[in-house]
Amino acid sequence: MNLFFMDECKPSQLKISSLTGILIPVGKYPKMRTEFYNMLNKFISPEIGTINMNIPELHGSNLLRDYPDDVKLDIIDEIISIVNSFQINIYRVGYFINEQTDKFFGQDKNLLGLCWGSLVNILQPVLERETIIPVMDKINSKEVSIMSGMVKSTDIIRHVNPDFLSIKNSENIFGEVFYADSNYSIFTQLVDIISYCRHINDKHIYGNFKLSSFHIEILEKSKRINMTYEEIIKLKID
């Protein structure tokens, strides 16, 4: 059984919408959690004999606002080291947003459903033998209806006739999507940082953006991430 923590990166200046997921086997969860809090010990116990219960949330686009860049970069380094050392599978799919996608996917302009469907297809080797529990950061009610609605619809169609489904092994996806506020979910924070690093890489490859010196540092660190699968897709719609 695996927890599949996901982070959605919505289009901003760079017209790419993506969904990143980290697949954490339940058996690895306790040790990874320990490593995560070891990394945060500098915030938890800033002085001997003290415990800070209000440790900062790690959020890529607003990373440790009150701390210097070297602390931020050290945290990114440590997060990458954690996922690499535990050999965690990381998947990411993104789509370019344009007038055509707005026209044909008007109810889902950020293509969340399309990204999720693509990830499910990529995860087939896992789904053939193991169960996946989808976990996402809290999102708005419209996006909940898209994400949870797709999972529920798949279950209903499979109940009627599995042959009607193009998605294989859907019975190994939990029928409920779980939503976790990143302020209280350390692995939602972890996938957020990974997603942010890869977004900076997208800006470098696909955008005409001049990266700041800080973002150039992140770009270099993002090359260390052992991505299991990553693809940015440009749809051709006739």
Side-chain angles (χ1 to χ4, degrees):
M1 184 175 291
N2 305 271
L3 295 159
F4 192 53
F5 289 90
M6 290 173 283
D7 178 72
E8 180 189 13
C9 185
K10 297 179 181 178
S12 53
Q13 292 174 304
L14 185 64
K15 297 300 182 182
I16 291 175
S17 185
S18 65
L19 190 60
T20 302
I22 55 171
L23 192 69
I24 300 184
V26 170
K28 290 185 177 182
Y29 183 97
K31 288 185 177 179
M32 281 192 69
R33 176 175 56 191
T34 298
E35 285 301 310
F36 194 94
Y37 280 113
N38 284 342
M39 175 188 70
L40 295 178
N41 192 60
K42 61 179 75 68
F43 305 109
I44 296 171
S45 298
E47 298 177 5
I48 296 175
T50 65
I51 301 177
N52 174 23
M53 301 299 294
N54 189 30
I55 58 176
E57 177 184 354
L58 304 182
H59 186 68
S61 60
N62 190 25
L63 181 60
L64 300 174
R65 180 181 290 272
D66 297 327
Y67 293 84
D69 285 354
D70 60 334
V71 174
K72 300 174 186 179
L73 293 169
D74 283 347
I75 285 290
I76 290 173
D77 251 339
E78 292 184 69
I79 284 176
I80 294 171
S81 294
I82 288 172
V83 294
N84 285 350
S85 64
F86 280 89
Q87 298 180 314
I88 295 302
N89 289 328
I90 307 171
Y91 305 85
R92 183 170 182 261
V93 172
Y95 286 89
F96 286 97
I97 304 294
N98 53 41
E99 290 181 359
Q100 280 192 307
T101 61
D102 284 347
K103 177 180 178 182
F104 286 92
F105 298 93
Q107 298 302 310
D108 184 15
K109 288 185 180 295
N110 292 328
L111 306 183
L112 174 61
L114 198 58
C115 288
W116 165 245
S118 296
L119 284 181
V120 170
N121 283 325
I122 294 160
L123 285 164
Q124 282 303 311
V126 179
L127 290 169
E128 286 175 1
R129 62 185 188 278
E130 298 176 25
T131 302
I132 289 176
I133 302 172
V135 186
M136 286 196 74
D137 193 2
K138 62 177 183 178
I139 51 180
N140 65 47
S141 59
K142 181 179 179 180
E143 290 168 324
V144 168
S145 68
I146 292 169
M147 189 73 191
S148 294
M150 286 186 66
V151 174
K152 182 179 179 181
S153 297
T154 300
D155 285 350
I156 292 171
I157 294 170
R158 187 181 62 253
H159 170 74
V160 174
N161 189 337
D163 293 337
F164 292 166
L165 284 175
S166 59
I167 298 174
K168 297 180 181 179
N169 304 302
S170 62
E171 67 278 6
N172 286 334
I173 303 172
F174 255 46
E176 291 79 27
V177 180
F178 292 88
Y179 299 93
D181 188 327
S182 61
N183 189 45
Y184 307 103
S185 170
I186 58 173
F187 291 123
T188 303
Q189 294 178 41
L190 189 150
V191 70
D192 179 282
I193 297 297
I194 297 296
S195 173
Y196 180 68
C197 288
R198 300 312 299 167
H199 173 70
I200 298 299
N201 187 66
D202 287 347
K203 291 184 76 171
H204 171 65
I205 295 175
Y206 302 110
N208 266 333
F209 301 104
K210 184 177 180 181
L211 298 180
S212 66
S213 58
F214 178 65
H215 283 167
I216 289 172
E217 293 269 10
I218 294 176
L219 176 65
E220 289 304 308
K221 293 183 184 304
S222 75
K223 295 174 183 178
R224 291 183 50 229
I225 302 171
N226 294 329
M227 300 296 293
T228 308
Y229 185 96
E230 183 174 35
E231 185 176 13
I232 305 298
I233 300 165
K234 186 173 184 178
L235 289 175
K236 294 182 179 179
I237 307 173
D238 296 328

